[in-house]
Amino acid sequence: MTPSEIDSIRAAFPILSQKVHARRPLVYLDNAATSQTPASVVDAIREAYFTSKANVHRGVHCLSQKATADMEAGREAVRDFIGAESSSEIIFTRGTTEALNLVASSYGSLLRQGDTVVLTQMEHHSNIVPWQLLADRKGISIKVVPVLENGSLDMEAYRRLLDEGPALVSVAHISNVLGTVNPIKEMARMARDAGAVFVCDGAQGVAHEKIDVRDLGVDFYAFSAHKMYGPTGIGALYGRADLLDKMPPYQGGGEMIGHVSFEHGTTWADLPYKFEAGTPDFIGASAIKAAIEFMHSTGIERMKEHEDRLLHYTTERMLEAVPDLHIYGTAPGKSSVISFLIPGAHHYDTGILLDQLGIAVRTGHHCAQPLMERFGIEGTVRASFAVYNTFEEIDAFIEALKKVNAMLR
Ligand SMILES: *Cc1c(COP(=O)(O)O)cnc(C)c1O
């Protein structure tokens, strides 16, 4: 993408043009935590609140019908975006975390005592803790695929764990710390051959890769809209219809029932509504469509290409600026996330000082404490990119990094 194309993309993100700490231009490099939101998405939300806010699926009146149609258009946009066969396989959730809790709780209830769930050492806490809660409830065990020094998964160990016949495997598409892009298609095929259900945490995947759940061969795929230029508080779970059909509801309430009776018991609504109890974030769900349109019109491949160029440029310049810098995650084909430490400097101090210079990065364990433990550290500083980041911003980041390095050592 040319600088002028990036400029015109940036114009749709007013938040990026502000100054912080009085006079520093903001350089937002915390996109793996949340991406910013273009005007088209905010406009869609504003428009919905001003013209068509009414509860969905309940009303006969025209506003309710419009709100329902808009939410279902959001569902259809998600279906198309991830290549699912049917929109009944798209369940709206609050985000990745709730989607993974849904699978662990509902599909998990079908697992039996003594069953095994395979996770990896690089998982986000939201793909660990729900399985630990299930393990406590059901007496299942959790096995973990180790991470190699460069941040890729130990595929030999994965193969050996599959030989033990696990019931389910759940793996991040892209690590939010290391940027490693896991070989999901291959891992899902191996899991299927071993008779295990395959769940993919797509929180980072959706923002950086073209997703096709059928080509990937996953049984479940979870993601959040806020990491792909969409609103907060909404996300989705894709699930294969035959699996969703045999799963019990996750939560009970309105909207998810067929018929409720004290005498004769209660029946469930059809998919996907069986899993959508209560009034959903129907405005968020409809605004996902605008986020997907933003990504399509910018071009997912072109976005990835730009982010990859930023990644390589930044990595090179960082190592020039601080030659003994330690970067965690150097797997081939990694995504645009750089976790690093200045030797001898605390990640928090580095982050605070960068912030003073206008650079927004994330510090800490990034909700991946087992991975921190694997590398024998408490946390890292993480810079992560989105389509609107520029090479000038990287230059500002490098200058700031040099200053911080000089201050801390
Ligand atoms: C952000 C993230 C999550 C959690 O997403 P929420 O939007 O907080 O629910 C899970 N996994 C990965 C890899 C993430 O980056």
Side-chain angles (χ1 to χ4, degrees):
M1 276 194 236
T2 64
S4 73
E5 279 175 298
I6 302 293
D7 280 349
S8 62
I9 289 170
R10 286 179 74 84
F13 293 82
I15 199 170
L16 297 174
S17 59
Q18 70 188 290
K19 302 253 195 298
V20 291
H21 300 303
R23 63 198 173 82
R24 304 272 181 190
L26 169 69
V27 175
Y28 186 77
L29 300 180
D30 193 17
N31 296 287
T34 198
S35 58
Q36 298 302 340
T37 311
S40 56
V41 173
V42 179
D43 288 347
I45 294 168
R46 185 187 147 91
E47 174 81 6
Y49 273 105
F50 283 173
T51 67
S52 54
K53 185 179 178 224
N55 209 326
V56 288
H57 300 305
R58 292 192 172 94
V60 291
H61 60 82
C62 66
L63 284 194
S64 172
Q65 287 175 13
K66 169 131 182 14
T68 303
D70 289 348
M71 172 165 138
E72 293 308 317
R75 198 188 306 276
E76 171 57 22
V78 170
R79 182 206 66 73
D80 180 67
F81 180 62
I82 63 168
E85 186 173 342
S86 160
S87 59
S88 66
E89 298 176 308
I90 308 298
I91 298 156
F92 283 122
T93 65
R94 285 190 295 126
T96 310
T97 303
E98 189 179 44
L100 292 169
N101 273 278
L102 192 164
V103 181
S105 169
S106 172
Y107 190 83
S109 73
L110 305 175
L111 300 186
R112 286 188 293 263
Q113 186 174 6
D115 278 348
T116 299
V117 167
V118 170
L119 307 176
T120 85
Q121 223 169 13
M122 69 169 76
E123 297 312 309
H124 188 283
H125 294 164
S126 69
N127 196 26
I128 298 175
V129 183
W131 303 109
Q132 291 177 324
L133 293 171
L134 178 70
D136 288 346
R137 247 187 352 260
K138 298 279 294 191
I140 60 159
S141 64
I142 294 173
K143 298 274 172 73
V144 183
V145 182
V147 167
L148 303 174
E149 199 56 32
N150 74 351
S152 9
L153 288 175
D154 181 344
M155 290 296 281
E156 267 316 304
Y158 178 53
R159 208 178 304 275
R160 283 195 299 275
L161 286 174
L162 288 178
D163 284 344
E164 295 173 21
L168 182 145
V169 175
S170 191
V171 179
H173 193 163
I174 298 179
S175 162
N176 62 312
V177 179
L178 307 166
T180 310
V181 182
N182 289 315
I184 293 301
K185 188 172 176 174
E186 182 189 354
M187 293 181 80
R189 182 182 45 73
M190 289 165 69
R192 189 165 55 248
D193 290 348
V197 160
F198 193 88
V199 185
C200 188
D201 168 356
Q204 298 295 332
V206 281
H208 302 287
E209 300 276 326
K210 174 79 194 93
I211 307 302
D212 184 330
V213 289
R214 278 180 287 174
D215 181 57
L216 287 173
V218 297
D219 297 306
F220 295 96
Y221 196 91
F223 66 94
S224 305
H226 71 92
K227 290 186 180 176
M228 44 169 277
Y229 309 98
T232 67
I234 186 83
L237 173 70
Y238 157 78
R240 250 178 49 205
D242 57 324
L243 294 176
L244 293 174
D245 264 330
K246 62 180 191 194
M247 287 158 55
Y250 170 51
Q251 294 178 326
E255 288 299 313
M256 51 73 70
I257 52 90
H259 183 79
V260 178
S261 158
F262 284 119
E263 280 76 36
H264 310 294
T266 292
T267 59
W268 316 133
D270 290 337
L271 292 178
Y273 309 110
K274 177 170 99 174
F275 293 104
E276 293 180 353
T279 300
D281 177 4
F282 53 88
I283 290 182
S286 70
I288 287 185
K289 185 165 179 231
I292 290 172
E293 278 165 4
F294 167 77
M295 291 184 71
H296 278 318
S297 68
T298 313
I300 294 169
E301 290 298 323
R302 296 175 71 234
M303 291 167 77
K304 183 173 153 55
E305 204 179 297
H306 176 66
E307 290 159 2
D308 284 347
R309 283 177 59 213
L310 290 173
L311 171 70
H312 295 125
Y313 179 72
T314 313
T315 306
E316 228 167 78
R317 299 247 11 230
M318 285 172 84
L319 291 170
E320 271 164 31
V322 184
D324 62 347
L325 190 83
H326 196 106
I327 293 181
Y328 296 88
T330 53
K334 72 174 274 196
S335 179
S336 55
V337 171
I338 305 175
S339 275
F340 66 94
L341 284 175
I342 298 174
H346 197 276
H347 54 85
Y348 182 73
D349 295 336
T350 310
I352 289 280
L353 291 172
L354 285 171
D355 175 61
Q356 290 298 314
L357 299 168
I359 316 291
V361 292
R362 176 93 162 192
T363 67
H365 55 63
H366 315 292
C367 300
Q369 283 178 329
L371 183 65
M372 298 297 116
E373 204 174 304
R374 152 72 181 83
F375 285 103
I377 53 180
E378 270 175 33
T380 69
V381 187
R382 181 185 69 187
S384 53
F385 309 113
V387 66
Y388 40 66
N389 288 125
T390 66
F391 289 89
E392 290 73 39
E393 286 184 309
I394 302 306
D395 292 342
F397 167 52
I398 298 297
E399 285 317 304
L401 185 68
K402 281 185 193 161
K403 278 194 193 137
V404 171
N405 184 46
M407 283 159 94
L408 290 176
R409 300 206 285 175

